[in-house]
Amino acid sequence: MSLIVQKFGGSSVANAERVMNVARIVTDTFSKGNDVVVVVSAQGDTTDDLIEKANEINPSASRREKDMLLAAGEQISISLLAMAIEKLGFHAVSLLGWQAGFETTSSHTTARIKRVEASRIKKELDKKNIVIVAGFQGISKYGDITTLGRGGSDTSAVAIAAAMHADLCQIYTDVEGVYTADPRKVPNAKKLDEISYDEMLELATLGAQVLNNRSVEMAKKYNIELEVLSSMAKASGTIVKEKTKMEKMLISGVAKDEDVARISVTGVPNVPGFAFKMFSKLSAKDINIDIILQSIGHDGKKDITFTVAKARGAEAVEVLKKYASDIGANEVLYDDKIAKISIVGAGMESHAGVATKMFEALYDAQINIQMISTSEIKVSVLIDQKDADKAVSAIHEKFFD
Amino acid sequence: MSLIVQKFGGSSVANAERVMNVARIVTDTFSKGNDVVVVVSAQGDTTDDLIEKANEINPSASRREKDMLLAAGEQISISLLAMAIEKLGFHAVSLLGWQAGFETTSSHTTARIKRVEASRIKKELDKKNIVIVAGFQGISKYGDITTLGRGGSDTSAVAIAAAMHADLCQIYTDVEGVYTADPRKVPNAKKLDEISYDEMLELATLGAQVLNNRSVEMAKKYNIELEVLSSMAKASGTIVKEKTKMEKMLISGVAKDEDVARISVTGVPNVPGFAFKMFSKLSAKDINIDIILQSIGHDGKKDITFTVAKARGAEAVEVLKKYASDIGANEVLYDDKIAKISIVGAGMESHAGVATKMFEALYDAQINIQMISTSEIKVSVLIDQKDADKAVSAIHEKFFD
């Protein structure tokens, strides 16, 4: 007998029919002799609807009250799923975050899980109940409801799997697994049978929205085997684990990230300390910097170019212009019509020429590279946004066809 | 400085505009130097919407899961009200039933409050927060979410007022107070300034849906002064308390109850024990009996007629027919086209002829009386349903015009 944690996202429980579908998946797993803990997100658009209700009244409401409001979403979905499981003749019990023992930090709307005190879950499993847990939410040491922020339900699922030493944590979603590229854009994209935690982390960072990064990090830390699969298709998905057997494969995927803007600060004095000053102004505002490119200085001046998330672009430019004289800036240029294309693969650590092959694909497609960034298992390039899909296809073809 | 508990029903918080209106009432009270605890029901149709969602999936879901689902309704309304109060520049904190210390029995969907452990509420009041509590819900000793059943939020408000020795408990609703008759039906109906607990209890039982009976019983037990008033009109309402000064007034109201069905069992042997057998069969099914009329026996037989709530009528008839031979029944007759009209007033204890005056009003209006029932402060008659409104008007005119 195994303990399996299954997580279902909002689209998987969006209406009565889909809730029944999830109930069937869950009870099938239970009927095979497994203990099952299910983690559920709020139904479809519930969270958006609740946010709209709040904005109508007070867009700048306190984060404590936002958490109180949003946590109602999973309360609805867990009880409906429990009812659906009862309908199929099985025993189910739904638990809110605090009932399931999710102790979090008290930073409302972006709380982090400190501990899962799983005694109630264990007690219910001992009674042969299927346990349904509200994802995304927990409780602070002050006894207040907290939420975990974006992708929080994935993290909830992995945290339970870790706390209870589950044998497998299945993340059900609306895609059939992790693909070598976005299958809606690249018809030849292949589903991967396996991928390593590190590769998955890079892919998630780079715009492949299959799994939330915090959940993969936690899975890696506690060595929890994840499976990403579809709640609609009856097919096995992609296993995420420490070591994969896919030694032959150079790369595991091509990802596109269009949520990126480029900022160039020109005419920065070519003496130590100015880059530090510039980036410290941005980090003080909690603005994360991604790829950084520094030109070779001439005439005692240099240009520094970097990327930020699009949403923070305007703010970053404002900060830099405000401190223009402090940081010795001449001009601050901004461009958000760009895209970051990345290849990820543990294979490239031991294989030379992977980056070259990527650049060759882009050259063949006549796509200009603006910036380049590399790590052990990743190569990213910045290109014009209009070329993004063409670039992904060209690179995917070069490596996989 | 006083401690005031204010309760707002679902229609008072049905949309953003009304939530803001409630926030203004609450903050006005707070600004006058009072400590304020607010109890809120779920918004407008939320509860019905949630029940519909449940019924789509599993109409016979467990009561535990129904409670889990429904409790989400108040979670939404309390956080929205807190946000509205924040918008007006005040500090508010919303608390779920379990956070506010509502310890209940574990009979899901019809739980009763055992205790309000109000330390969290006190702590928040000490911090000069306006405290907003989810009505209708609590927690069982097993740590499960419970709900209090119909009118539960009124009871929640009175329970807090009792636990905290509040100076006043205001029940805001969509009517301006307690009237001598339904003002939508009887244009001359008058708003009462005061009414006693007992009169209010009789009126509530008899179909005047202003206050839930359990809440009035609890207010009486702990001697909590209630005020029933409108969240829309800026006017004082009706005070409900132990002794009223309205000695002159014979009756305080005329009420109509159409949710009643009459059952007659004919040909019951006129020997002891048969009535007991009959009613014990019904009480075993939790079917409450209201007015009972027993004919004078002749030929060793008698007829027993009584009323039940319409919703239980069919079941009651079924039970009686099943045990027809046991209870010596000849025939079981059923009629749900009837109405119960009642007058209520503490004054009738000391004034003779009140019932006579009521019967005279009905006689003048040519309305036939089918059954009569009286108590110290109440006279009820059963009449044809089609005459109900005419009867209320006629009686009201006789006593109040």
Side-chain angles (χ1 to χ4, degrees), chain A residues 28-252:
Chain A
D28 279 356
T29 310
F30 182 83
S31 296
K32 284 173 188 151
N34 301 297
D35 278 345
V36 185
V37 179
V38 188
V39 175
V40 197
S41 304
Q43 285 190 295
D45 299 327
T46 305
T47 304
D48 289 342
D49 290 348
L50 291 174
I51 290 172
E52 199 185 307
K53 267 176 186 279
N55 285 342
E56 246 188 293
I57 288 172
N58 182 0
S60 53
S62 67
R63 299 200 298 168
R64 180 193 186 276
E65 296 303 332
K66 283 180 184 164
D67 278 355
M68 180 66 101
L69 180 69
L70 291 188
E74 293 83 37
Q75 184 161 348
I76 294 170
S77 57
I78 56 170
S79 48
L80 291 178
L81 179 56
M83 291 174 184
I85 291 173
E86 288 174 352
K87 173 93 174 177
L88 298 178
F90 294 80
H91 294 288
V93 64
S94 67
L95 298 176
L96 297 164
W98 65 271
Q99 291 174 315
F102 275 83
E103 300 169 11
T104 73
T105 60
S106 51
S107 58
H108 286 284
T109 73
T110 56
R112 299 190 79 88
I113 299 166
K114 291 200 299 196
R115 195 166 92 97
V116 181
E117 199 291 283
S119 60
R120 175 79 194 260
I121 298 179
K122 285 193 187 107
K123 208 169 73 182
E124 298 297 342
L125 289 177
D126 287 346
K127 288 194 254 175
K128 289 291 145 204
N129 279 322
I130 294 172
V131 179
I132 302 156
V133 175
F136 180 69
Q137 57 178 246
I139 189 167
S140 74
K141 64 180 172 185
Y142 305 108
D144 289 328
I145 306 294
T146 55
T147 71
L148 306 177
R150 264 192 86 80
S153 292
D154 287 356
T155 314
S156 301
V158 177
I160 289 179
M164 306 194 66
H165 309 288
D167 300 282
L168 178 62
C169 180
Q170 295 182 311
I171 309 286
Y172 283 85
T173 173
D174 48 5
V175 296
E176 290 180 36
V178 182
Y179 280 77
T180 51
D182 185 342
R184 289 164 302 186
K185 296 285 177 60
V186 181
N188 287 335
K190 290 174 180 61
K191 188 174 75 183
L192 300 169
D193 291 331
E194 291 182 353
I195 190 171
S196 72
Y197 295 124
D198 287 336
E199 289 172 309
M200 192 67 235
L201 278 172
E202 291 284 10
L203 280 175
T205 316
L206 297 168
Q209 296 296 333
V210 181
L211 274 182
N212 172 264
N213 242 1
R214 283 160 66 192
S215 63
V216 181
E217 277 165 16
M218 193 182 282
K220 182 184 176 186
K221 184 171 171 189
Y222 295 100
N223 202 21
I224 303 296
E225 194 165 306
L226 297 179
E227 183 178 8
V228 179
L229 68 177
S230 162
S231 57
M232 298 302 164
K234 289 231 168 210
S236 57
T238 300
I239 295 280
V240 187
K241 57 185 194 179
E242 186 59 48
K243 291 280 177 204
T244 66
K245 53 176 190 279
M246 316 197 86
E247 292 295 330
K248 281 176 302 178
M249 218 174 199
L250 272 181
I251 68 168
S252 55

Side-chain angles (χ1 to χ4, degrees), chain A residues 16 19-20 43 50 53-54 56-58 61-62 64-66 68-69 71-72 75-76 78-80 82-84 86-87 92-96 98-99 120 139 142-145, chain B residues 16 19-20 43 50 53-54 56-58 61-62 64-66 68-69 71-72 75-76 78-80 82-84 86-87 92-96 98-99 120 139 142-145:
Chain A
V19 171
M20 286 308 307
Q43 285 190 295
L50 291 174
K53 267 176 186 279
E56 246 188 293
I57 288 172
N58 182 0
S62 67
R64 180 193 186 276
E65 296 303 332
K66 283 180 184 164
M68 180 66 101
L69 180 69
Q75 184 161 348
I76 294 170
I78 56 170
S79 48
L80 291 178
M83 291 174 184
E86 288 174 352
K87 173 93 174 177
V93 64
S94 67
L95 298 176
L96 297 164
W98 65 271
Q99 291 174 315
R120 175 79 194 260
I139 189 167
Y142 305 108
D144 289 328
I145 306 294
Chain B
V19 171
M20 285 309 305
Q43 285 191 295
L50 291 174
K53 267 177 185 278
E56 247 188 291
I57 287 171
N58 183 1
S62 67
R64 179 194 186 276
E65 297 302 332
K66 283 180 184 165
M68 179 66 102
L69 179 70
Q75 184 160 349
I76 293 169
I78 55 170
S79 47
L80 291 178
M83 292 174 182
E86 289 174 352
K87 173 93 173 177
V93 64
S94 67
L95 298 177
L96 297 165
W98 64 271
Q99 291 174 314
R120 176 78 194 260
I139 189 167
Y142 304 109
D144 288 328
I145 307 294

Side-chain angles (χ1 to χ4, degrees), chain B residues 290-355:
Chain B
D290 189 18
I291 305 177
I292 302 173
L293 186 86
Q294 185 174 309
S295 68
I296 295 163
H298 53 90
D299 300 339
K301 299 276 185 182
K302 63 187 173 187
D303 301 339
I304 297 178
T305 304
F306 56 89
T307 59
V308 298
K310 238 174 216 173
R312 309 302 299 274
E315 199 185 340
V317 169
E318 195 187 317
V319 168
L320 293 172
K321 286 193 169 162
K322 190 173 168 194
Y323 295 102
S325 59
D326 276 18
I327 59 179
N330 191 350
E331 224 181 349
V332 180
L333 305 170
Y334 182 73
D335 183 3
D336 62 4
K337 296 281 177 294
I338 55 168
K340 185 169 66 178
I341 309 297
S342 309
I343 56 173
V344 171
M348 64 177 80
E349 285 187 89
S350 47
H351 288 76
V354 172

Side-chain angles (χ1 to χ4, degrees), chain B residues 13-30:
Chain B
V13 292
N15 54 44
E17 193 190 327
R18 292 198 184 170
V19 171
M20 285 309 305
N21 174 57
V22 167
R24 264 174 244 115
I25 295 173
V26 169
T27 53
D28 279 356
T29 311
F30 181 83

Side-chain angles (χ1 to χ4, degrees), chain B residues 5-54:
Chain B
V5 176
Q6 300 184 315
K7 181 260 171 179
F8 296 90
S11 65
S12 298
V13 292
N15 54 44
E17 193 190 327
R18 292 198 184 170
V19 171
M20 285 309 305
N21 174 57
V22 167
R24 264 174 244 115
I25 295 173
V26 169
T27 53
D28 279 356
T29 311
F30 181 83
S31 296
K32 285 174 187 152
N34 300 297
D35 279 345
V36 186
V37 178
V38 188
V39 174
V40 198
S41 304
Q43 285 191 295
D45 300 327
T46 305
T47 304
D48 289 341
D49 290 348
L50 291 174
I51 290 173
E52 199 185 307
K53 267 177 185 278

